Amino acid sequence: QTINAIWFNPRDGSSTYAGQYSNTGTQTFEPPSRGYGNDWVLSLDDASRGYTEPVPIPTPVPVIQPGDSITGSVSDSSATIPYRLYEPAGVAPGQKVPLILYLHGMGGRGTENITQTTWMGGLGTNATSGQNASYILAPQIDTSMWFQSYNSSPTEAMKLTIKALQEVIATQNVDTSRIYVTGVSMGGMGTWDILRWLPDTFAAAVPMSGGADPSTAAAIKDIPVWAFHGANDTVVPVSATRNIIQALRDAGGDPKYTEVAGGGHVIWPG
């Protein structure tokens, strides 16, 4: 039997063909790159079945409609990103309310200021009115950008995300003691990442199917975190969350972690 070996890049959805091998003996596979932030998924398929290469998760139709929000954008000397801000309903004039920053996954990247809302249905249903009425800020980064940094400086996407957040805080009736951040997949990584750049801003964070550099644990250990990850995630390895959770506990933090037994990458409701 012959197998096809393919390296899948969960950071941008691309695939790299690694060749055909006999399904006997011991084989050694070398990923295209190594080091923190260079995760790869090795796919081994029966060549006779004619399977196609792995592809990114398809992007469904956005659930929260654009008309329900106000739009804006932020820029610096290098780039511009758009954002949508959903305003809470049923709030008294001048009342301070919480703000939730939502960071989208890889499939939400673009410039049309719509697809970043794809997985926000549950958030919009539960957090735009009633006792949980909040602002929801959803910036969108383009296809060349990435939220998470792998060095000592924030990425361009993160700089602009922070700028959008600060703009909304300055112009809306935000209760600054109740600012939260959540995100999925790439946005889950961004959720972890923004904590180290703004350690005194967030009341809590909820990263899903993401991960972080364990070396950042000491800087973020005092921020309440409830992380989620599927035990069988084949896109972002569950070890990415397990490792940062353990690092936080080793640093004296008390994060909450829910590992979804049998869960894959998409463990969040739409």
Side-chain angles (χ1 to χ4, degrees):
Q1 185 183 37
T2 301
I3 60 172
N4 285 323
I6 301 167
W7 288 104
F8 175 70
N9 183 347
R11 301 177 301 284
D12 62 12
S14 63
S15 298
T16 302
Y17 184 66
Q20 287 193 338
Y21 297 83
S22 173
N23 191 22
T24 58
T26 301
Q27 305 290 347
T28 300
F29 299 93
E30 182 68 22
S33 60
R34 290 180 174 273
Y36 182 78
N38 287 281
D39 297 323
W40 294 91
V41 177
L42 178 63
S43 172
L44 300 176
D45 295 325
D46 183 346
S48 67
R49 299 295 183 92
Y51 295 127
T52 58
E53 294 185 7
V55 296
I57 297 169
T59 301
V61 176
V63 177
I64 299 182
Q65 297 305 311
D68 299 332
S69 62
I70 59 176
T71 61
S73 65
V74 289
S75 304
D76 61 15
S77 59
S78 300
T80 298
I81 64 168
Y83 65 78
R84 287 193 175 274
L85 178 66
Y86 296 87
E87 298 180 295
V91 175
Q95 179 182 342
K96 297 286 187 179
V97 295
L99 168 64
I100 301 170
L101 173 63
Y102 172 80
L103 303 182
H104 62 80
M106 187 175 68
R109 293 188 298 183
T111 58
E112 84 299 323
N113 204 12
I114 297 175
T115 55
Q116 80 269 30
T117 69
T118 296
W119 296 111
M120 286 177 56
L123 187 61
T125 299
N126 292 287
T128 53
S129 62
Q131 65 177 355
N132 298 319
S134 306
Y135 291 100
I136 304 175
L137 173 62
Q140 183 184 38
I141 65 174
D142 72 30
T143 55
S144 66
M145 291 180 168
W146 195 257
F147 285 121
Q148 188 178 32
S149 172
Y150 302 116
N151 55 45
S152 58
S153 299
T155 64
E156 179 67 18
M158 184 56 68
K159 290 177 183 178
L160 290 170
T161 295
I162 292 172
K163 188 171 184 178
L165 175 65
Q166 293 172 336
E167 179 175 292
V168 169
I169 292 172
T171 58
Q172 304 296 326
N173 290 319
V174 175
D175 180 347
T176 56
S177 69
R178 293 189 293 167
I179 299 175
Y180 306 92
V181 59
T182 186
V184 299
S185 191
M186 177 189 71
M189 300 175 191
T191 298
W192 286 111
D193 195 60
I194 200 170
L195 298 181
R196 64 167 166 152
W197 309 120
L198 300 176
D200 300 318
T201 296
F202 298 101
V206 182
M208 291 178 277
S209 300
D213 181 350
S215 70
T216 64
I220 65 175
K221 65 180 177 64
D222 296 325
I223 304 171
V225 171
W226 189 354
F228 295 79
H229 212 126
N232 296 338
D233 191 339
T234 59
V235 177
V236 179
V238 67
S239 59
T241 295
R242 290 175 180 170
N243 291 345
I244 183 60
I245 290 295
Q246 187 59 54
L248 287 170
R249 290 170 177 164
D250 291 344
D254 187 27
K256 187 172 182 179
Y257 175 43
T258 297
E259 188 166 300
V260 181
H265 187 59
V266 180
I267 54 171
W268 50 88

